[in-house]
Amino acid sequence: DLEADRSSMNGMIHMFGSTEPQLIITDKNPAGEVLPIPVIMVIVSKQPPPSTLGIKSVQRAEEDFVPMEAMKMGWYPILPTNMSSMRFSKKMKQSGAGNVFGLKCERRRAGLKNMAVEDVKKYDYVLPYILFPDRKNADEQEQDTSVNVMLELPGLSKPLVFEYDWEMDEMDEFVEEKCKEEELDAKEFTEPMKKGIQEQVAATKAKYKAEREAIQKRIDDMNPEQRESLKTMKIIKFYPKNEKPDVSALKTKYINRYYRHAHEVR
């Protein structure tokens, strides 16, 4: 019971929605069709979750973090529709029901027409952001060790594009194989290729280091109450209860790249 969870920690409830594309067998299409399944995440915590958004996609090289208000989004109180604001205010004080908030976007669809395409596209990839201090080490261990390399070398009509993993690939062997694959003169291109790979690996490692330092700063800036709220936070993920289509076998605890996994799925 959500209210029991909230009351037990004297906390509040925040909710945000999403959809999950799933292959569903329906009466109309027995072979299955991909449908967006709506899900709702419910956060029970002592303090509000961050009012921050993360923007990242395969097409975007960089990951951006912006305040919700920059996207005209925010945590808004969820008010019962059958109450006037005055009656609701009184009830909030009596029962604590006013501690329920939902993530809402105030941007009007008509306003999107006046925005740059790049800014409109951000809404396709925006996710609620959160940082759990106790997951920091695990996140660092999962960090990607590959880099997408693009080298423009003298004498070549087009750039070389490939992926290099500094943990898995041995430099000399990799460059030797790449020269054979591209039918390049090893004497001419081995050293320039090594230098180009090393520069891009160094740049990627420097970027990761800066990201780790930024994350550590955000953790260091947290006060004890914020840390305690994140530590005791409970996240519940809700799926539709309808029998058709049946999604019971498709439920998963995964939420997004920041919140990771729910504690419970219903």
Side-chain angles (χ1 to χ4, degrees):
D1 181 79
L2 290 177
E3 181 56 26
D5 289 333
R6 187 197 68 78
S7 298
S8 66
M9 65 171 63
N10 191 28
M12 55 189 66
I13 291 174
H14 289 75
M15 301 188 292
F16 66 90
S18 181
T19 58
E20 296 177 352
Q22 298 281 7
L23 182 64
I24 303 290
I25 296 176
T26 63
D27 293 338
K28 183 190 296 186
N29 194 339
E33 59 181 307
V34 176
L35 296 176
I37 306 301
V39 292
I40 295 177
M41 272 57 69
V42 176
I43 305 164
V44 185
S45 58
K46 295 180 179 179
Q47 292 201 349
S51 293
T52 304
L53 300 168
I55 306 174
K56 173 68 175 173
S57 71
V58 175
Q59 292 82 7
R60 294 174 62 88
E62 300 298 325
E63 184 173 25
D64 295 330
F65 300 100
V66 299
M68 287 183 176
E69 56 262 30
M71 305 286 287
K72 287 202 170 182
M73 298 173 70
W75 298 112
Y76 290 83
I78 297 178
L79 310 178
T81 56
N82 61 340
M83 292 185 180
S84 67
S85 58
M86 185 178 295
R87 288 179 62 199
F88 182 73
S89 297
K90 184 177 179 180
K91 188 174 181 64
M92 278 198 297
K93 294 179 181 179
Q94 293 173 345
S95 68
N99 288 327
V100 180
F101 302 83
L103 180 59
K104 181 184 178 183
C105 180
E106 291 280 275
R107 176 81 67 183
R108 295 175 179 267
R109 286 187 178 274
L112 297 176
K113 297 178 182 178
N114 301 321
M115 296 172 61
V117 175
E118 172 96 11
D119 292 332
V120 174
K121 274 291 182 183
K122 289 180 181 179
Y123 284 95
D124 292 336
Y125 306 115
V126 68
L127 294 172
Y129 173 80
I130 198 165
L131 174 61
F132 294 100
D134 59 344
R135 295 184 189 174
K136 174 176 172 288
N137 292 335
D139 290 344
E140 288 180 359
Q141 290 174 3
E142 294 177 9
Q143 199 163 57
D144 191 6
T145 58
S146 63
V147 58
N148 292 317
V149 179
M150 185 173 74
L151 299 179
E152 294 185 354
L153 301 179
L156 298 184
S157 59
K158 60 181 181 179
L160 293 178
V161 180
F162 53 86
E163 185 177 277
Y164 178 83
D165 189 317
W166 66 76
E167 289 284 346
M168 302 297 294
D169 295 322
E170 199 281 318
M171 178 71 76
D172 291 336
E173 292 180 3
F174 182 90
V175 171
E176 182 180 348
E177 287 298 320
K178 182 57 63 175
C179 285
K180 290 180 180 178
E181 180 184 320
E182 300 289 341
E183 298 182 346
L184 302 175
D185 183 349
K187 290 183 179 180
E188 181 180 356
F189 290 100
T190 293
E191 290 307 316
M193 194 182 300
K194 282 184 180 180
K195 182 181 179 182
I197 294 172
Q198 289 166 347
E199 288 176 349
Q200 296 202 28
V201 168
T204 301
K205 287 183 176 181
K207 184 186 76 169
Y208 287 164
K209 181 182 178 183
E211 290 173 353
R212 289 195 299 270
E213 290 174 348
I215 288 172
Q216 187 59 54
K217 185 179 185 306
R218 287 196 286 270
I219 293 174
D220 293 341
D221 289 344
M222 290 180 184
N223 59 45
E225 291 77 16
Q226 289 173 319
R227 289 173 178 266
E228 177 64 17
S229 180
L230 290 168
K231 185 177 180 180
T232 59
M233 180 180 287
K234 183 175 182 180
I235 307 173
I236 306 167
K237 184 177 181 181
F238 286 87
Y239 280 84
K241 299 294 185 182
N242 48 283
E243 295 181 358
K244 287 189 177 182
D246 183 8
V247 299
S248 58
L250 303 174
K251 294 181 178 180
T252 170
K253 287 187 175 183
Y254 184 76
I255 299 174
N256 66 32
R257 59 188 280 112
Y258 307 118
Y259 278 83
R260 295 298 185 91
H261 299 88
H263 297 93
E264 183 182 347
V265 174
R266 298 183 187 177

